[in-house]
Amino acid sequence: MSDDSQPPPPYGPPQPQYGPPQPPPYGQSPQYAPPPQYGPPPQYGPPQGQPQGQPGPPPGQPPYQSQYQPGPYGNPQQFGPRVDPKLVRPKAMWIAVAWGVALLCLVAGIALFAGGVVGTAGAVTLQKTFAAGESATVTIDPADQPVLYLASSSQVHYTCRISGGPGPARLARTNTSGSLTLGATRWQLILVINAPAKGDYQVTCATQEQANARFGVGRDPASAAGGLLGGVAALILIPGAGILAAIIVTVVIVVRRNSHRKRLAAGG
């Protein structure tokens, strides 16, 4: 009688085996034990709920949350009630009126400047010339500040007189020195004509020497320069004043219209 009993299993910790593993007994299939587990399996990639490229929170702290909260969409901006432009005061037509006045000032300045230039051009010409010993009828206007000129190639002694006209006129010497150069002839101012009113006067001049002397009636060059300066001043000051006034009126009207529009929109 055979004893099929097996020896009892050993107790205590398994003894380490050295050398190659022993095959199982004949007739028994090998048994494999699962590999030992050391902690949780490693995780690869960012944790769930954590965006890539952003470091996670330190251990023991809750995950970060984005502070950006998208605002509501689809809500249109609310504007105030629409105001009828016809109700806004003052009316915008006053801006057009102001700039129309500025345009008229510009035209007036240009006209006055042109008048000054024309007057200056007339002052550098002689109204009428005549030879020594002759008499000439000349229309004289005191507003033009008329004077008498002499052109001679040599020094001469002259005598002149004036007659006719609506009243007595006289010739007077002047300390003002003036001259005109017309072409190749130089005219020297010699006498001032004092006429009481505008009219036709007869002027007669003669010389003691037998010289080729000529006389002429014209305007004082100083008055011509004053007319030109007045024209330049008119060209600058009058349009400038008109444009400045138009700018001020425009600003005032725009500000007052905006204020009135806001009051209307608020129901005031």
Side-chain angles (χ1 to χ4, degrees), residues 22-29:
Q22 298 296 325
Y26 181 79
Q28 295 182 4
S29 59

Side-chain angles (χ1 to χ4, degrees), residues 150 156-160 173 190-191 205-209 215:
L150 168 63
V156 296
H157 297 81
Y158 59 86
T159 57
C160 295
R173 295 185 179 276
I190 56 174
L191 298 172
C205 294
T207 60
Q208 298 179 1
E209 295 80 8
F215 297 86

Side-chain angles (χ1 to χ4, degrees), residues 38-266:
Y38 301 96
Q43 297 182 359
Y44 300 95
Q48 295 183 358
Q50 183 70 24
Q52 298 183 3
Q54 181 177 357
Q61 294 187 6
Y64 297 126
Q65 295 183 357
S66 174
Q67 299 297 326
Y68 172 75
Q69 299 294 334
Y73 298 96
N75 295 328
Q77 187 177 0
Q78 299 295 329
F79 296 94
R82 183 176 179 84
V83 178
D84 188 359
K86 296 181 181 179
L87 300 178
V88 181
R89 295 292 185 273
K91 294 184 177 181
M93 70 172 185
W94 292 110
I95 298 178
V97 172
W99 285 102
V101 173
L103 180 61
L104 293 178
C105 291
L106 177 62
V107 174
I110 294 175
L112 292 176
F113 174 73
V117 172
V118 172
T120 302
V124 297
T125 59
L126 296 177
Q127 183 178 356
K128 195 164 189 178
T129 63
F130 53 95
E134 295 181 352
S135 178
T137 300
V138 184
T139 301
I140 296 176
D141 187 356
D144 295 336
Q145 300 182 12
V147 294
L148 194 62
Y149 289 93
L150 168 63
S152 178
S153 57
S154 60
Q155 186 175 2
V156 296
H157 297 81
Y158 59 86
T159 57
C160 295
R161 65 178 185 271
I162 185 171
S163 60
R170 63 187 184 88
L171 302 175
R173 295 185 179 276
T174 177
N175 296 327
T176 303
S177 60
S179 62
L180 294 177
T181 300
L182 302 177
T185 305
R186 184 173 182 273
W187 296 83
Q188 185 68 36
L189 191 154
I190 56 174
L191 298 172
V192 176
I193 301 175
N194 295 323
K198 181 178 180 179
D200 294 335
Y201 295 85
Q202 289 76 38
V203 180
T204 304
C205 294
T207 60
Q208 298 179 1
E209 295 80 8
Q210 297 293 328
N212 187 16
R214 293 187 63 84
F215 297 86
V217 177
R219 293 180 57 184
D220 188 355
S223 65
L228 180 60
L229 293 177
V232 173
L235 179 63
I236 297 175
L237 297 179
I238 296 179
I243 293 175
L244 180 61
I247 293 175
I248 295 175
V249 171
T250 301
V251 172
V252 171
I253 291 179
V254 169
V255 172
R256 294 186 62 183
R257 281 177 61 86
N258 289 337
S259 177
H260 191 207
R261 184 183 290 106
K262 292 180 181 178
R263 292 198 303 270
L264 293 176

